[in-house]
Amino acid sequence: MTDLHTEKDEKKQLRWRYYIDRKFQNVFILRFSAIVLLVVAFTLGILWMIRENPYPLLSEEGGVLISMSTEQTLSCQSADGAIVQMGVPGRIFNAFDLYWVPIVFVSSINLVLLVVFGLFYSHSMAGPVHNMRKTLQEMAEGGPVRPIRIRRGDQFQELVDDINTLIEKRVK
């Protein structure tokens, strides 16, 4: 009775452990993460090229983006003779300066979400594979012949059904 109770506790513990096959799941997560990193590198590379070869960010009537200081002002006289107070021109911005921080921030969030998604999704693949291997190894070592059981939302449902059909027709 204690062996059965221990086996149930072990199975329950495995169900809540998301790293079942670390090697498979790490490779799965790294491959998906590499996609995000390539997109970030590509995007930052394009922004760097824009920085090195600047062109106006606004329409031809516009110009470039310049920060204006509101603490220091210049008095200018307009064409109609009115005196206008204007901020002192500050830093000139280009596309790279404007967009690299938001792109890195959003890409970092995407990377974290991708790792979390990759862990949960790979769990739905690694769990059934681990369960199939363990059950087949137990049967090969002379253990009881029993069908393979996986959770309802796991991947490889059809494969498990086919293996269970084989076990039922050939082994029993």
Side-chain angles (χ1 to χ4, degrees), residues 104-130:
V104 169
F105 177 74
V106 169
S107 297
S108 299
I109 290 173
N110 284 338
L111 185 61
V112 168
L113 291 173
L114 191 66
V115 166
V116 170
F117 169 77
L119 177 63
F120 286 105
Y121 188 70
S122 67
H123 175 74
S124 74
M125 290 187 285
V129 170
H130 174 75

Side-chain angles (χ1 to χ4, degrees), residues 12-161:
K12 192 173 191 177
Q13 215 173 28
L14 277 175
R15 187 181 317 136
W16 294 106
R17 208 175 78 208
Y18 284 96
Y19 261 129
I20 293 175
D21 186 346
R22 287 188 186 271
K23 182 180 176 187
F24 168 77
Q25 288 180 278
N26 284 338
V27 168
F28 184 87
I29 290 169
L30 285 174
R31 286 182 179 167
F32 273 98
S33 300
I35 294 168
V36 171
L37 294 175
L38 286 172
V39 169
V40 170
F42 181 72
T43 305
L44 290 176
I46 289 174
L47 286 175
W48 177 80
M49 286 180 5
I50 291 171
R51 177 180 165 192
E52 293 300 312
N53 304 303
Y55 57 87
L57 295 175
L58 305 174
S59 66
E60 290 190 23
E61 298 84 36
V64 294
L65 297 174
I66 301 173
S67 69
M68 302 297 280
S69 172
T70 56
E71 296 171 3
Q72 299 176 340
T73 58
L74 294 173
S75 297
C76 299
Q77 188 172 5
S78 64
D80 64 357
I83 302 292
V84 178
Q85 295 290 332
M86 293 181 56
V88 175
R91 183 173 175 201
I92 297 174
F93 292 95
N94 61 28
F96 185 83
D97 295 329
L98 293 173
Y99 299 126
W100 81 268
V101 172
I103 287 173
V104 169
F105 177 74
V106 169
S107 297
S108 299
I109 290 173
N110 284 338
L111 185 61
V112 168
L113 291 173
L114 191 66
V115 166
V116 170
F117 169 77
L119 177 63
F120 286 105
Y121 188 70
S122 67
H123 175 74
S124 74
M125 290 187 285
V129 170
H130 174 75
N131 197 3
M132 285 185 274
R133 290 184 70 217
K134 185 176 175 187
T135 303
L136 293 173
Q137 286 171 354
E138 287 174 1
M139 287 190 288
E141 292 172 358
V145 175
R146 59 186 170 93
I148 298 169
R149 301 195 192 289
I150 61 173
R151 295 177 302 259
R152 192 174 324 164
D154 281 345
Q155 304 296 317
F156 310 120
Q157 296 285 338
E158 296 86 11
L159 178 62
V160 169
D161 290 342

